[in-house]
Amino acid sequence: MFAGYALVAAAALMWGLIGPLSKFAFQAGMAPLEVAFWRAMLAWVLYAGQAAATGRVKVEPRDVPWILGFGVVCIAGLFVSYVLAVREGGAALASVLLYTAPAWVALLAWRILKEPMTRIKAIAVAATVLGVAGVSLGDGLGSSVNVAAIVLGLTAGLTYALYYIFGKAFLTRYSTPTIFLYALPTGAACMVPFIDFGPRPATAWISCAVLAVCSTYGAYSLYYAGLRRIEASRAAVVASLEPVVAAVLAFILFDERFCALGYVGSALILGAVLLTIIAGKR
């Protein structure tokens, strides 16, 4: 069982690197959308190789539009909104807002999948809203709110939540490499018209390579390996280390910090994550 916790914790650590690595690439002169593009395409090489090696490349024709749609909305939507949120508001804020995803899941599952909105879920959604208000105020009640960073961070959380809705329908029929074989290049293709490709320094390429190998392919692989050893609810609790890791690294590397109200808001969002997990377990 310890190995399962260790694997999930390692995945959370790798996910927590996304914001800081993206900022390193920005500082090297690579635009956010180009970072998202190369993260998707370099990870695609690994997923395509795994899908080919395991013989899992076929999908039913009726499912192709849905998988391509997943690439447009969830791959392009999440990858782009998240790196833009990092650029606009910093790695710590983007990571915290990404973890509004459980609240989005509760709302979407209630409206789309007709799952019941229990009292605990409703409390979790309310705590998330209050938490977002807290982190949105940044340096205090008298400061200006970075609207772009908040909107982009919430969009990242929403598109991340859509993974769950999509997964309810398709992940029982196809493996992750099979879906990403088609979804990743589809999402990357959506970014191409908005990217000005050109020579980049080695640090930018190293950041993108680590994003693809560690924070995308490696993190998901470790997480699913951990899921085979421990319960999903326990894995989800351990995975909530991600925004903590991102916030600590952002503080150490870039001196990013919240005010007291921002930390209270962050705690409310993470508390809502735990409440949602508890509700799901019950």
Side-chain angles (χ1 to χ4, degrees):
M1 182 177 290
F2 174 78
Y5 287 111
L7 288 167
V8 174
L13 174 62
M14 290 182 177
W15 280 325
L17 294 173
I18 296 174
L21 285 170
S22 297
K23 289 199 71 169
F24 281 132
F26 301 162
Q27 292 175 348
M30 187 173 281
L33 265 66
E34 189 174 357
V35 174
F37 173 85
W38 289 117
R39 178 191 173 192
M41 288 308 298
L42 293 174
W44 173 78
V45 173
L46 299 173
Y47 279 115
Q50 184 179 353
T54 57
R56 297 177 177 178
V57 298
K58 294 182 179 180
V59 297
E60 295 292 331
R62 69 175 185 275
D63 294 332
V64 170
W66 292 101
I67 293 175
L68 298 183
F70 172 78
V72 173
V73 177
C74 295
I75 299 298
L78 173 59
F79 284 23
V80 169
S81 62
Y82 192 66
V83 293
L84 289 175
V86 171
R87 183 189 68 181
E88 295 296 328
L93 178 64
S95 183
V96 168
L97 291 177
L98 178 70
Y99 267 70
T100 60
W104 287 115
V105 168
L107 292 171
L108 292 170
W110 173 51
R111 296 300 299 172
I112 298 174
L113 301 178
K114 306 304 179 183
E115 293 183 2
M117 176 61 72
T118 64
R119 182 177 300 178
I120 291 181
K121 288 182 181 179
I123 293 173
V125 170
T128 300
V129 172
L130 290 174
V132 170
V135 298
S136 299
L137 292 172
D139 296 327
L141 293 172
S143 67
S144 60
V145 177
N146 189 335
V147 177
I150 302 303
V151 171
L152 288 165
L154 291 176
T155 301
L158 173 60
T159 50
Y160 191 26
L162 290 173
Y163 276 70
Y164 170 83
I165 304 301
F166 179 86
K168 291 283 282 189
F170 292 98
L171 286 180
T172 55
R173 303 209 304 271
Y174 301 111
S175 68
T176 301
T178 305
I179 293 174
F180 280 10
L181 172 66
Y182 302 100
L184 282 170
T186 302
C190 295
M191 308 174 203
V192 171
F194 308 99
I195 299 173
D196 182 18
F197 292 100
R200 308 296 180 211
T203 51
W205 291 113
I206 292 171
S207 296
C208 289
V210 177
L211 274 173
V213 176
C214 294
S215 300
T216 307
Y217 182 81
Y220 281 110
S221 299
L222 289 174
Y223 185 74
Y224 290 129
L227 277 181
R228 289 195 289 270
R229 293 169 172 82
I230 61 176
E231 295 177 1
S233 58
R234 296 178 186 272
V237 171
V238 177
S240 63
L241 287 170
E242 176 189 346
V244 178
V245 171
V248 170
L249 289 176
F251 174 75
I252 294 172
L253 298 173
F254 308 109
D255 197 31
E256 292 182 14
R257 64 187 73 198
F258 295 118
C259 67
L261 186 60
Y263 284 113
V264 170
S266 301
L268 281 171
I269 291 173
L270 294 180
V273 172
L274 298 180
L275 269 179
T276 306
I277 293 166
I278 292 169
K281 187 176 180 180
R282 289 180 178 176

